[in-house]
Amino acid sequence: MRNERNKPLWGGRFGANPAEAFERINASIPFDIRLAPHDIRGSIAHARMLGEQGIVSEGESKDLVHGLEAVLSEVEAGEFSWTLSDEDVHTAVERRLRELVGDVASKLHTGRSRNDQVALDLHLFVREAAEEMMSAIAEAMHALVEVAEANEGTILPGYTHLQRAQPILLAHHLLAHFEALRRDLARFEAAREAASVSPLGAAALGGTPHRIDPGMTARDLGMEPFRNSLDAVSDRDFALDLLYACSVLGAHLSRMGEEWVLWTSGEFAFATLDDEYSSGSSIMPQKKNPDAYELMRGKSGRLIGNMNALLITLKGLPPGYSKDLQEDKEPLFDSVDNVLSMLAVLPEMLRTAKFDGERTRSAAGGFALATELADFMAMRGVPFREAHHTVGSLVKRCEELGASLEEIPDEELRSAHPALADFPKNLLTPEGSVRNKKSMGSTSPESVERQFEEARRYLEKRAASQKADG
Ligand code: ARG
């Protein structure tokens, strides 16, 4: 940031420069400078259209485009400098353009306003951010599939109420997260679609007398044109869509974070993280903390907060531009940055973790197998409620005997209920129980194999369509 002061570009009717405190609250340049590449791309499309439509001459259009390309190179090289008195990114770019190409720069703003300009910048930002986040989500989905494959036979308890419920395959568990991320991808896709509408050409709010062609600028940017100019400058729904997608993804990542905090605790000890993905304590030498997973749990708060912040900012605004809309950017940037930082660490953190299969298996035995007995009886014609009751008493009996279900003598089974006389004891193992699940989408190895195949096909199809889109 530079310290000199430029006269505001709206300064014509003003007798004095803005007070410093006003300038500070009014300026968005400290944070909207990151929109510069989008702002310039939008301006290039606008300058081309002005030339095509004969609103500026062909030569002027070329000068504007070349000048804007030079500003873009400065931005990309990190050489672009700005001052607080530039106010916002739009003014800063125009100021620099004027320094490079002279007075023709003053024609760039013909037929547009900062209101449609900023809306366009934000659309372009959201579209790009959605794409980046979608690739990062797909990478996490790859990692889930790889880890599930690498631990194919591993069994752990599935929980309800955080009480051991039934044995399940670790692969099944990880593929459950895969499904949640698949839905997240669809939400980001929807946000990207919503952002693919260009508001450029709405001008301040009601259009413009110039014979602009909003369809041309939209096509140039790979977007659809707006239909209603007032809506075009007022709409921030696409940003909300992205923030909502970030919030739901954040909730999923938070749940994963919580699970790994448990799994890596001494109490569970189901898994250990690679040293590269854990931190120590400054006082307790033995500690190895799952900080990144805790942050995944913690950051969901700000993601939900950011969505609420924008929703609340928008709720009372009249149609048309109000400066309140400047508040749309920081929450959006914050969510995108934090989601990307979580997704950057997750895939390798998953791939490098180690599971203790012995430990997870032994936690999945015992009373977690009780449903097998009840299901077996129900298959022999005993009403399930009755079977449930019988097995409940059996569990109680085991507790009295201090025995586990697997150890229960045959005669105890028989005397509990005649339908248990020929109960195959192999069902009372984590493997037997898992294999015994026959229903669609279940945790049996065959079912999980089908889920794997589908997951791989989905990722391959996605990769192929990415490639085709270039
Ligand atoms: N910095 C403003 C924003 O972020 C740009 C639009 C300014 N428009 C205006 N009419 N003052 O929203």
Side-chain angles (χ1 to χ4, degrees), residues 28 32 87-88 90 114-115 118 321 323 325-326 329:
S28 52
D32 70 12
E87 188 181 330
D88 58 29
H90 325 293
R114 276 187 296 168
N115 301 347
V118 70
Y321 180 82
K323 198 62 176 245
L325 289 174
Q326 185 161 287
K329 291 169 200 62

Side-chain angles (χ1 to χ4, degrees), residues 316-332:
L317 291 184
Y321 180 82
S322 299
K323 198 62 176 245
D324 314 44
L325 289 174
Q326 185 161 287
E327 291 292 310
D328 59 5
K329 291 169 200 62
E330 287 161 293
L332 191 59

Side-chain angles (χ1 to χ4, degrees), residues 20-188:
E20 243 181 272
F22 174 79
E23 197 167 71
R24 230 171 297 122
I25 190 175
N26 195 39
S28 52
I29 185 97
F31 50 87
D32 70 12
I33 185 64
R34 73 186 280 178
L35 294 175
H38 304 298
D39 192 73
I40 297 170
R41 272 185 209 108
S43 287
I44 290 175
H46 184 65
R48 281 199 198 118
M49 182 278 294
L50 291 177
E52 293 278 331
Q53 294 296 100
I55 297 168
V56 302
S57 73
E58 219 175 285
E60 287 170 330
S61 168
K62 282 212 170 84
D63 289 347
L64 288 171
V65 170
H66 289 149
L68 286 163
E69 284 168 351
V71 182
L72 184 59
S73 308
E74 290 184 1
V75 168
E76 285 170 351
E79 285 161 3
F80 184 86
S81 65
W82 50 270
T83 86
L84 206 57
S85 65
D86 278 327
E87 188 181 330
D88 58 29
V89 63
H90 325 293
T91 315
V93 168
E94 193 179 311
R95 190 247 318 137
R96 183 64 187 140
L97 180 67
R98 187 170 298 102
E99 286 165 6
L100 293 176
V101 301
D103 278 348
V104 66
S106 305
K107 293 204 171 179
L108 176 64
H109 214 51
T110 316
R112 76 168 183 187
S113 146
R114 276 187 296 168
N115 301 347
D116 54 345
Q117 190 179 356
V118 70
L120 173 66
D121 293 4
L122 214 63
H123 278 80
L124 292 170
F125 173 83
V126 166
R127 195 172 60 163
E128 189 178 276
E131 275 162 18
E132 263 181 78
M133 288 191 274
M134 283 161 72
S135 303
I137 293 169
E139 184 55 26
M141 291 166 86
H142 268 288
L144 285 168
V145 171
E146 284 164 39
V147 175
E149 275 171 339
N151 294 279
E152 236 183 313
T154 304
I155 298 181
L156 81 170
Y159 293 84
T160 61
H161 310 265
L162 200 59
Q163 305 287 321
R164 293 170 185 174
Q166 292 181 351
I168 55 172
L169 287 177
L170 175 63
H172 188 229
H173 185 123
L174 295 172
L175 289 174
H177 292 312
F178 182 97
E179 291 304 324
L181 293 184
R182 185 206 302 256
R183 292 190 297 275
D184 285 317
L185 269 186
R187 270 181 285 273
F188 280 96

Side-chain angles (χ1 to χ4, degrees), residues 31 67 84 101 176 210 218 236 277 279 290 322 384 395:
F31 50 87
L84 206 57
V101 301
H210 300 283
R236 296 292 184 275
Y277 292 96
S279 76
S322 299
F384 187 79
V395 166

Side-chain angles (χ1 to χ4, degrees), residues 358-373:
E358 293 282 297
R359 179 137 177 127
T360 56
R361 182 188 181 279
S362 77
F367 294 135
L369 301 165
T371 322
E372 289 307 326
L373 289 161

Side-chain angles (χ1 to χ4, degrees), residues 205-318:
L205 74 168
T208 166
H210 300 283
R211 293 170 55 81
I212 56 163
D213 184 349
M216 191 188 298
T217 41
R219 267 195 308 282
D220 196 341
L221 297 163
M223 298 168 120
E224 293 288 315
F226 67 92
R227 278 184 291 270
N228 177 301
S229 63
L230 182 57
D231 175 56
V233 292
S234 317
D235 170 27
R236 296 292 184 275
D237 296 1
F238 60 98
L240 282 175
D241 291 346
L242 193 79
L243 289 172
Y244 171 63
C246 289
S247 300
V248 181
L249 170 66
H252 292 150
L253 295 178
S254 172
R255 291 167 78 165
M256 237 187 256
E258 165 67 2
E259 160 177 301
W260 278 89
V261 169
L262 290 173
W263 283 357
T264 55
S265 69
E267 284 69 15
F268 274 73
F270 282 2
T272 42
L273 295 178
D274 193 83
D275 283 358
E276 278 200 292
Y277 292 96
S278 18
S279 76
S281 154
S282 59
I283 172 169
M284 296 161 284
Q286 84 284 7
K287 290 204 66 191
K288 189 170 164 183
N289 300 326
D291 296 47
Y293 279 119
E294 292 169 84
L295 286 165
M296 275 169 50
R297 191 177 55 186
K299 281 179 187 295
S300 67
R302 73 203 282 163
L303 298 178
I304 296 164
N306 288 336
M307 177 185 71
N308 285 333
L310 182 57
L311 203 46
I312 294 165
T313 298
L314 294 175
K315 77 167 182 59
L317 291 184

